[in-house]
Amino acid sequence: DAKTTQPNSMESNEEEPVHLPCNHSTISGTDYIHWYRQLPSQGPEYVIHGLTSNVNNRMASLAIAEDRKSSTLILHRATLRDAAVYYCILRDRTGGTSYGKLTFGQGTILTVHP
Amino acid sequence: NAGVMQNPRHLVRRRGQEARLRCSPMKGHSHVYWYRQLPEEGLKFMVYLQKENIIDESGMPKERFSAEFPKEGPSILRIQQVVRGDSAAYFCASSLGGRSSFSNQPQHFGDGTRLSIL
């Protein structure tokens, strides 16, 4: 499976934008880029995913580099509730025998200051 | 709309007892996944089930652990003869699609069962 690399931690102030980077230099043409987050004492929560084009939803935006070797999750106005561990995960749409599982790395711990 | 429901939220067992963790997927979802998060570690995939079938159990320990997802009722993760190292948070997730659409489908997680072994 192609690997992702994220910074261990990032900090932000409340109501400021946050850009969470993810490097995936060995990404294949069939990999979707997914983002999940895990708030303290909760299960992971789906945030957004994309393939080639930038994506927006009510939670966040996903900016994908033209060569797809990196992507950035953008929280437009951070709130205290956004403090969580953010995971960038690749999912190969061709599957193989392990098509169902999500492979979580260490993620980025986001701290939001009031 | 009810999300993924896991129970119990907390479970305490003594060494050697059995632990049964339950997961009811989101309405309409027929694909269930179990993950384990050991203290201070990341989430690790354990098993993927579709109704009455195990699709991928590559992350399941070879002994003492089993999972099922019967035609009726919740999915069950069963741990026999628990040991201290089984103490962890166990998360269940569910999704709509199968092989043809899995990579484009999110998994929806429950809030987990925290298992403590005395």
Side-chain angles (χ1 to χ4, degrees):
Chain A
D1 290 340
K3 298 262 189 263
T4 63
T5 305
Q6 299 177 252
N8 289 333
S9 63
M10 291 186 65
E11 296 187 20
S12 173
N13 293 318
E14 203 174 5
E15 303 206 357
E16 290 184 356
V18 181
H19 291 233
L20 296 160
C22 181
N23 286 322
H24 28 77
S25 57
T26 59
I27 192 171
S28 77
T30 55
D31 284 334
Y32 277 88
I33 302 160
H34 285 244
W35 284 81
Y36 285 76
R37 70 181 185 181
Q38 187 175 20
L39 279 66
S41 300
Q42 294 187 24
E45 176 185 28
Y46 165 78
V47 179
I48 200 167
H49 77 279
L51 185 62
T52 56
S53 304
N54 294 344
V55 185
N56 300 295
N57 65 21
R58 62 174 179 82
M59 289 180 70
S61 295
L62 176 60
I64 301 172
E66 198 169 330
D67 63 4
R68 300 202 337 119
K69 293 185 185 300
S70 66
S71 60
T72 302
L73 180 70
I74 302 166
L75 307 178
H76 294 287
R77 290 181 67 199
T79 69
L80 296 178
R81 196 197 170 275
D82 292 321
V85 182
Y86 286 78
Y87 299 98
C88 170
I89 299 170
L90 301 182
R91 301 197 74 189
D92 181 357
R93 65 182 177 187
T94 64
T97 56
S98 296
Y99 65 92
K101 71 179 183 182
L102 294 173
T103 301
F104 290 84
Q106 292 305 305
T108 297
I109 300 171
L110 175 66
T111 301
V112 180
H113 299 289
Chain B
N1 289 329
V4 176
M5 303 301 291
Q6 290 189 249
N7 67 81
R9 287 296 308 274
H10 300 273
L11 181 61
V12 179
R13 286 286 178 267
R14 296 188 180 280
R15 281 178 293 172
Q17 291 184 321
E18 178 180 287
R20 291 170 70 88
L21 287 61
R22 292 175 182 76
C23 169
S24 296
M26 283 183 71
K27 188 175 181 181
H29 288 191
S30 59
H31 300 260
V32 164
Y33 315 82
W34 286 93
Y35 295 81
R36 177 167 67 172
Q37 189 166 34
L38 293 164
E40 307 304 322
E41 292 190 19
L43 285 143
K44 302 291 185 192
F45 167 82
M46 299 181 74
V47 63
Y48 163 30
L49 309 104
Q50 197 178 353
K51 284 285 187 182
E52 302 184 277
N53 291 305
I54 295 176
I55 307 300
D56 180 359
E57 56 181 349
S58 59
M60 285 280 269
K62 294 286 184 267
E63 297 178 350
R64 302 186 298 108
F65 285 71
S66 62
E68 63 176 9
F69 188 19
K71 188 176 180 181
E72 301 292 336
S75 175
I76 306 288
L77 179 67
R78 183 182 177 206
I79 311 172
Q80 294 178 291
Q81 299 176 318
V82 296
V83 301
R84 287 238 171 96
D86 297 332
S87 295
Y90 292 82
F91 294 98
C92 170
S94 72
S95 72
L96 262 177
R99 189 176 187 117
S100 62
S101 61
F102 72 94
S103 61
N104 201 22
Q105 295 257 357
Q107 291 183 11
H108 299 269
F109 285 78
D111 281 334
T113 292
R114 277 136 187 92
L115 176 64
S116 299
I117 309 301
L118 301 179

